Amino acid sequence: MNRRALILDELGLLPLWVRRERAHPPPAKAERTAPGETAPVLTAADDRASRIARMSWPELRESVRTCRACGLHAGRKQAVLGVGDEQADWLFVGEGPGAEEDARGEPFVGQAGRLLDNMLAAIGLKRGSDVYIANTVKCRPPGNRAPEPSEAAQCEPYLLRQIALIQPRLIVALGKTAASILLQTDASLGSLRGRVYQFQGIPLLVMYHPAYLLRTLADKAKSWEDLCQARELMARLKAGERVLN
Ligand code: SF4
């Protein structure tokens, strides 16, 4: 078995199947759009948000390290800003650190992290090389719960600053929480995947979270479809195409 086949086997995707054509129509051309919604305007910047919006990487790291802007700071061992190439074309955004991430200070470690690494490898990517991985909140929500809207709102300026500093060609929202926060929608993940959205002018795709895929083997095949779509989209973006949908 060659390396690609080994990776696909690891993902539970063999035998290989043929990708179906996209079933959904494209979304409206707008920033931060979700189905059935008009494009929301970003929250007006308060003092804190506008300060964060001017930060350099070292300032951002220090600010996140010492942040107490929401209650999540109380239960963390450390804040987890993100990891990877700070000029990456690919930005993957998950939900928040879990216990292992909190202990190690890096997003997507442990079993879900290994699956994400395998998913990246399946499309020729590697953590840290042209890839940056972040979360919507930087501190661990207790008991692996999803972040509260108020916590996500307090942490959003950090993610926005990361996006502005990295300037990725493509953002991939991993899981319902990241998709909901980035697209400002309550739509199900199943209804969101397979389409190209825009986040402040940057194409955005939605995929299943690796932790969900570990629990739901049946959807691994769909994640391969999403990975193929992402790879094709990136090729178009690198060729200079302006992809709006
Ligand atoms: Fe600050 Fe974000 Fe941590 Fe809340 S989750 S304390 S806003 S860094």
Short mmCIF file of all heavy atoms in Angstrom, two decimals, residues 48 63-74 76 79-80 97 136-140 150-158, ligand 1:
data_model
loop_
_atom_site.label_atom_id
_atom_site.label_comp_id
_atom_site.label_asym_id
_atom_site.label_seq_id
_atom_site.Cartn_x
_atom_site.Cartn_y
_atom_site.Cartn_z
N ARG A 48 -11.08 47.64 23.78
CA ARG A 48 -10.26 46.42 23.85
C ARG A 48 -10.08 45.81 22.47
O ARG A 48 -8.97 45.45 22.08
CB ARG A 48 -10.93 45.42 24.80
CG ARG A 48 -10.25 44.08 24.88
CD ARG A 48 -10.87 43.19 25.95
NE ARG A 48 -10.38 41.84 25.84
CZ ARG A 48 -10.96 40.88 25.12
NH1 ARG A 48 -12.08 41.14 24.45
NH2 ARG A 48 -10.44 39.67 25.06
N SER A 63 -0.85 39.09 25.28
CA SER A 63 -2.21 39.47 25.68
C SER A 63 -3.06 38.23 25.94
O SER A 63 -3.80 38.16 26.93
CB SER A 63 -2.84 40.34 24.58
OG SER A 63 -4.13 40.73 24.95
N VAL A 64 -2.96 37.25 25.07
CA VAL A 64 -3.73 36.01 25.25
C VAL A 64 -3.24 35.26 26.49
O VAL A 64 -4.03 34.74 27.28
CB VAL A 64 -3.64 35.13 23.98
CG1 VAL A 64 -4.16 33.73 24.25
CG2 VAL A 64 -4.44 35.77 22.85
N ARG A 65 -1.94 35.24 26.67
CA ARG A 65 -1.36 34.50 27.81
C ARG A 65 -1.91 35.02 29.14
O ARG A 65 -2.15 34.25 30.07
CB ARG A 65 0.17 34.63 27.78
CG ARG A 65 0.91 33.70 28.72
CD ARG A 65 2.41 33.93 28.68
NE ARG A 65 2.79 35.21 29.26
CZ ARG A 65 2.89 35.46 30.55
NH1 ARG A 65 2.66 34.50 31.42
NH2 ARG A 65 3.24 36.66 31.00
N THR A 66 -2.13 36.32 29.21
CA THR A 66 -2.53 36.92 30.49
C THR A 66 -4.01 37.33 30.51
O THR A 66 -4.46 37.97 31.45
CB THR A 66 -1.67 38.17 30.77
OG1 THR A 66 -1.80 39.07 29.66
CG2 THR A 66 -0.20 37.81 30.94
N CYS A 67 -4.75 36.98 29.47
CA CYS A 67 -6.13 37.46 29.33
C CYS A 67 -7.04 36.89 30.43
O CYS A 67 -6.98 35.70 30.77
CB CYS A 67 -6.66 37.06 27.96
SG CYS A 67 -8.36 37.60 27.69
N ARG A 68 -7.89 37.75 30.93
CA ARG A 68 -8.92 37.34 31.91
C ARG A 68 -10.26 37.95 31.51
O ARG A 68 -11.10 38.26 32.37
CB ARG A 68 -8.52 37.82 33.32
CG ARG A 68 -7.21 37.23 33.80
CD ARG A 68 -6.65 37.98 34.99
NE ARG A 68 -7.43 37.77 36.19
CZ ARG A 68 -7.21 36.84 37.09
NH1 ARG A 68 -6.21 36.00 36.92
NH2 ARG A 68 -7.96 36.73 38.15
N ALA A 69 -10.46 38.11 30.22
CA ALA A 69 -11.65 38.84 29.75
C ALA A 69 -12.94 38.03 29.87
O ALA A 69 -14.02 38.60 29.80
CB ALA A 69 -11.44 39.28 28.30
N CYS A 70 -12.82 36.72 29.99
CA CYS A 70 -14.03 35.93 30.22
C CYS A 70 -13.73 34.88 31.28
O CYS A 70 -12.59 34.66 31.65
CB CYS A 70 -14.54 35.28 28.92
SG CYS A 70 -13.72 33.75 28.49
N GLY A 71 -14.78 34.22 31.73
CA GLY A 71 -14.65 33.29 32.84
C GLY A 71 -13.80 32.07 32.54
O GLY A 71 -13.37 31.38 33.47
N LEU A 72 -13.51 31.81 31.29
CA LEU A 72 -12.73 30.61 30.96
C LEU A 72 -11.30 30.68 31.50
O LEU A 72 -10.64 29.65 31.64
CB LEU A 72 -12.70 30.39 29.44
CG LEU A 72 -14.04 30.02 28.79
CD1 LEU A 72 -13.87 29.81 27.30
CD2 LEU A 72 -14.64 28.78 29.45
N HIS A 73 -10.84 31.88 31.81
CA HIS A 73 -9.46 31.98 32.31
C HIS A 73 -9.31 31.22 33.64
O HIS A 73 -8.25 30.70 33.94
CB HIS A 73 -9.06 33.44 32.50
CG HIS A 73 -9.58 34.03 33.77
ND1 HIS A 73 -10.82 34.63 33.87
CD2 HIS A 73 -9.04 34.08 35.03
CE1 HIS A 73 -11.02 35.04 35.11
NE2 HIS A 73 -9.96 34.71 35.84
N ALA A 74 -10.42 31.10 34.37
CA ALA A 74 -10.34 30.54 35.72
C ALA A 74 -9.94 29.06 35.72
O ALA A 74 -9.28 28.60 36.64
CB ALA A 74 -11.68 30.73 36.43
N ARG A 76 -8.21 27.39 33.24
CA ARG A 76 -7.14 26.98 32.31
C ARG A 76 -5.82 26.74 33.03
O ARG A 76 -5.55 27.35 34.07
CB ARG A 76 -6.93 28.09 31.26
CG ARG A 76 -6.22 29.30 31.83
CD ARG A 76 -6.06 30.44 30.84
NE ARG A 76 -5.46 31.59 31.47
CZ ARG A 76 -5.67 32.85 31.13
NH1 ARG A 76 -6.48 33.13 30.12
NH2 ARG A 76 -5.07 33.84 31.76
N ALA A 79 -3.42 29.53 28.30
CA ALA A 79 -4.18 29.88 27.10
C ALA A 79 -3.46 29.29 25.89
O ALA A 79 -2.24 29.12 25.90
CB ALA A 79 -4.28 31.39 26.97
N VAL A 80 -4.22 28.94 24.87
CA VAL A 80 -3.66 28.29 23.67
C VAL A 80 -3.99 29.18 22.47
O VAL A 80 -5.11 29.16 21.96
CB VAL A 80 -4.26 26.88 23.49
CG1 VAL A 80 -3.64 26.19 22.29
CG2 VAL A 80 -4.07 26.04 24.75
N PRO A 97 -9.63 24.70 23.24
CA PRO A 97 -8.72 23.67 23.73
C PRO A 97 -9.44 22.66 24.61
O PRO A 97 -10.35 23.02 25.36
CB PRO A 97 -7.70 24.46 24.57
CG PRO A 97 -7.95 25.90 24.29
CD PRO A 97 -9.34 26.04 23.76
N THR A 136 -11.60 29.02 18.25
CA THR A 136 -12.43 30.21 18.44
C THR A 136 -12.22 30.81 19.83
O THR A 136 -12.25 32.02 19.99
CB THR A 136 -13.92 29.89 18.26
OG1 THR A 136 -14.27 28.83 19.13
CG2 THR A 136 -14.24 29.52 16.84
N VAL A 137 -12.03 29.96 20.84
CA VAL A 137 -11.65 30.48 22.16
C VAL A 137 -10.30 29.88 22.54
O VAL A 137 -9.97 28.76 22.16
CB VAL A 137 -12.70 30.17 23.26
CG1 VAL A 137 -13.98 30.93 23.02
CG2 VAL A 137 -12.94 28.68 23.41
N LYS A 138 -9.54 30.66 23.27
CA LYS A 138 -8.15 30.29 23.55
C LYS A 138 -7.98 29.58 24.89
O LYS A 138 -6.88 29.12 25.20
CB LYS A 138 -7.25 31.53 23.53
CG LYS A 138 -7.48 32.46 22.34
CD LYS A 138 -7.37 31.75 21.01
CE LYS A 138 -7.51 32.74 19.85
NZ LYS A 138 -7.74 32.04 18.57
N CYS A 139 -9.02 29.54 25.69
CA CYS A 139 -8.93 28.85 26.98
C CYS A 139 -9.95 27.72 27.02
O CYS A 139 -11.01 27.80 26.42
CB CYS A 139 -9.19 29.82 28.13
SG CYS A 139 -8.03 31.20 28.15
N ARG A 140 -9.59 26.70 27.76
CA ARG A 140 -10.38 25.46 27.77
C ARG A 140 -11.74 25.64 28.45
O ARG A 140 -11.80 25.97 29.64
CB ARG A 140 -9.59 24.40 28.52
CG ARG A 140 -10.31 23.09 28.61
CD ARG A 140 -9.67 22.19 29.63
NE ARG A 140 -10.45 20.97 29.75
CZ ARG A 140 -10.40 20.15 30.77
NH1 ARG A 140 -9.59 20.42 31.77
NH2 ARG A 140 -11.13 19.08 30.81
N SER A 150 -21.11 34.51 25.02
CA SER A 150 -20.39 35.66 25.60
C SER A 150 -18.88 35.38 25.64
O SER A 150 -18.07 36.30 25.44
CB SER A 150 -20.91 35.94 27.02
OG SER A 150 -20.68 34.81 27.83
N GLU A 151 -18.49 34.13 25.88
CA GLU A 151 -17.06 33.78 25.90
C GLU A 151 -16.48 33.89 24.49
O GLU A 151 -15.40 34.44 24.29
CB GLU A 151 -16.89 32.36 26.44
CG GLU A 151 -17.30 32.22 27.91
CD GLU A 151 -17.59 30.79 28.34
OE1 GLU A 151 -17.67 29.88 27.47
OE2 GLU A 151 -17.77 30.57 29.55
N ALA A 152 -17.22 33.38 23.54
CA ALA A 152 -16.75 33.46 22.15
C ALA A 152 -16.64 34.92 21.71
O ALA A 152 -15.70 35.30 20.99
CB ALA A 152 -17.71 32.70 21.23
N ALA A 153 -17.58 35.74 22.14
CA ALA A 153 -17.55 37.16 21.76
C ALA A 153 -16.34 37.86 22.36
O ALA A 153 -15.69 38.68 21.69
CB ALA A 153 -18.84 37.85 22.21
N GLN A 154 -16.02 37.54 23.60
CA GLN A 154 -14.84 38.16 24.24
C GLN A 154 -13.55 37.74 23.55
O GLN A 154 -12.60 38.50 23.47
CB GLN A 154 -14.78 37.78 25.72
CG GLN A 154 -15.78 38.48 26.59
CD GLN A 154 -15.58 39.99 26.60
OE1 GLN A 154 -14.46 40.49 26.62
NE2 GLN A 154 -16.69 40.73 26.53
N CYS A 155 -13.52 36.51 23.08
CA CYS A 155 -12.29 35.99 22.47
C CYS A 155 -12.19 36.31 20.98
O CYS A 155 -11.11 36.22 20.41
CB CYS A 155 -12.23 34.47 22.68
SG CYS A 155 -10.56 33.89 23.03
N GLU A 156 -13.27 36.70 20.37
CA GLU A 156 -13.28 36.91 18.92
C GLU A 156 -12.21 37.89 18.43
O GLU A 156 -11.59 37.66 17.39
CB GLU A 156 -14.67 37.36 18.45
CG GLU A 156 -14.76 37.43 16.93
CD GLU A 156 -16.13 37.88 16.45
OE1 GLU A 156 -16.70 38.80 17.07
OE2 GLU A 156 -16.61 37.31 15.47
N PRO A 157 -11.97 39.00 19.16
CA PRO A 157 -10.94 39.93 18.65
C PRO A 157 -9.58 39.25 18.45
O PRO A 157 -8.83 39.64 17.54
CB PRO A 157 -10.86 41.00 19.75
CG PRO A 157 -12.21 40.97 20.40
CD PRO A 157 -12.64 39.53 20.37
N TYR A 158 -9.26 38.25 19.27
CA TYR A 158 -7.98 37.56 19.09
C TYR A 158 -7.96 36.77 17.78
O TYR A 158 -6.98 36.79 17.05
CB TYR A 158 -7.72 36.61 20.27
CG TYR A 158 -7.43 37.31 21.57
CD1 TYR A 158 -8.08 36.95 22.74
CD2 TYR A 158 -6.49 38.34 21.63
CE1 TYR A 158 -7.81 37.60 23.94
CE2 TYR A 158 -6.22 38.99 22.81
CZ TYR A 158 -6.89 38.62 23.97
OH TYR A 158 -6.62 39.27 25.14
FE1 SF4 B 1 -9.43 35.71 27.27
FE2 SF4 B 1 -10.27 34.19 25.25
FE3 SF4 B 1 -9.24 33.06 27.43
FE4 SF4 B 1 -11.64 34.21 27.54
S1 SF4 B 1 -11.08 32.41 26.32
S2 SF4 B 1 -9.97 34.45 29.03
S3 SF4 B 1 -11.36 35.96 26.13
S4 SF4 B 1 -8.16 34.37 25.96
#
